Amino acid sequence: MSGANARSMTQTDLMSWRMEADPVLRSTIVSIIVLDRLPDHERLTAAMNHAIDVVPIFRCKAVARQFPWSPPLWVDDADFDLSWHLRRSSVPPPGGWKGVLDFARMSGMAAFDKDRPLWELTVLDGLGDGATALVVKVHHSLTDGVGGMQLTREITDDTRAGGSSQDGHEFRPPVVRSTPGDSRAAMAEAVARSAAHAVRHPAATMHDVVRIFGSTARMTRPTTRTMSPVMTARSTRRGFGVIEFPVAALTAAAAGTQCSVNDAFLAALLLGMAGYHRGHGDVPNQLMVTLPISLRDSRDPLGGNRITLARFALPVDIADPEKLIRRVHIIVESWRNEPAIPLSPHLARMLNLLPVAVTGDMLKHMDFVASNVVGSSTPLYLAGARIIRQFAFSPTLGSAFNATLMSYASHVCVGINVDVRAVPDQPALMTAVSEGFRAVLALGSRHTDATVTTSY
């Protein structure tokens, strides 16, 4: 990609980019990948070069245009230097896992150099027992969680020696490189189909229009206050913590209620929030959640964002875990089926016309964000090192905290990114959320190990 064929940011990518005008809304994703040994430098370099070939946007920098409201261009960085993005360091004091968390936290709090491609990967040795950590920092305009996992599969192997065994691995979608002409043709075809349908079925078309307008209003309505009476302040300071437990335990709990793993995940967070607010003497009936909904399919190119953000209230006043999961399921399914969901890129375009202060104010009154990313069901290797765990810390998007669940092999890895002004007592929050997970996992614990571990 060169300046001659540079492409514009999509409207969904632009939303992440524009939010940078307010540091509280900084859209940085940080991931910690724990390896059983130090990865081979030459193989790691080769893997990253391959990743950049597959997703050339990782070689590009964003260049602003002179015209108002025009998205920046992704332009090939003529001074691209992989050694600047691929770094090596040692775990800082106090060392160990806490040192890794602190390094990742500080990395996430630091702004990107916007004159370079918006990503960094640091190899941290000295974790103990020969283990190593990779701290990956990526701007949200480059990719979303699902795209990040697809990219991970491009640079990892199924064996320590390299190569792919393919046995038991999920299908890896092909890389698709779309062009502006492709999208214009597809849009023109869709418009033609819609026009023909409107001529043949005018009454049904009017009904659909009314439904879409109502759905659009629900998707974009402003949020003017937090429902939490406690987690109200906002800042640029962050705290990282992790919770992990067996995948089988969460799967069993979800299956027992005939709901999804995501429903069980959200219910655990809500039970944790009830406990946290009880500790402060004031439990609300509901809290507002921002839930990223993936729109990505196998036809989409790697990189970029294919998500929409649904914002809605969830109950905090249901103490029974099973009843809560079922109630969450009903609410979430209704939002996943909103008629305006397929129009999300157009809604993003509309929101991008508003001042950042307006859209930012909407996000800052959300109570928390919950993300769920499906990882590999079997162990992976990177440059000769086995991946033991993988945690993601997604941006708070102006809320009090973001909890991101990532499954990997036999474990669930939950990364919690906390605004420490909204939650000055992070240990209390981590304890409460851990107890919420224990309550949910107990629904299926007769058949599985439900051990929950926490660190921060």
Side-chain angles (χ1 to χ4, degrees), residues 133-155:
L134 303 186
V135 176
V136 186
K137 175 181 175 181
V138 181
H139 195 279
H140 214 321
S141 60
L142 287 182
T143 190
D144 53 34
V146 176
M149 286 309 303
Q150 290 178 336
L151 184 59
T152 297
R153 286 298 290 125
E154 291 294 330
I155 65 173

Side-chain angles (χ1 to χ4, degrees), residues 325-336:
I325 294 174
R326 295 184 188 279
R327 179 59 184 156
V328 166
H329 175 78
I330 293 171
I331 296 172
V332 171
E333 283 304 299
S334 69
W335 279 93
R336 288 188 185 280

Side-chain angles (χ1 to χ4, degrees), residues 311-390:
R311 299 173 299 116
F312 52 91
L314 286 174
V316 188
D317 58 354
I318 301 177
D320 183 278
E322 185 170 351
K323 291 181 180 178
L324 180 57
I325 294 174
R326 295 184 188 279
R327 179 59 184 156
V328 166
H329 175 78
I330 293 171
I331 296 172
V332 171
E333 283 304 299
S334 69
W335 279 93
R336 288 188 185 280
N337 293 307
E338 279 285 350
I341 291 288
L343 302 178
S344 295
H346 304 290
L347 300 183
R349 183 186 300 274
M350 180 179 68
L351 292 172
N352 282 333
L353 296 175
L354 299 175
V356 171
V358 174
T359 51
D361 191 60
M362 294 167 57
L363 293 172
K364 287 179 181 178
H365 287 102
M366 302 303 294
D367 294 301
F368 69 98
V369 184
S371 302
N372 180 4
V373 181
V374 179
S376 175
S377 59
T378 55
L380 299 176
Y381 295 83
L382 178 59
R386 179 173 176 167
I387 297 177
I388 301 172
R389 298 283 189 273
Q390 184 168 4

Side-chain angles (χ1 to χ4, degrees), residues 9 35 59 81 173 178 223 242 249 274 295 330 341 347 356 381 398 407 437 443 446 449:
M9 277 188 184
L35 306 173
R59 189 188 292 272
D81 183 348
S178 60
T223 304
V242 301
L295 307 176
I330 293 171
I341 291 288
L347 300 183
V356 171
Y381 295 83
S407 59
F437 277 110
L443 296 175
R446 287 174 296 178
D449 172 20

Side-chain angles (χ1 to χ4, degrees), residues 56-72:
I57 195 175
F58 277 73
R59 189 188 292 272
C60 295
K61 61 182 180 180
V63 178
R65 295 200 234 183
Q66 296 179 346
F67 303 104
W69 296 294
S70 295

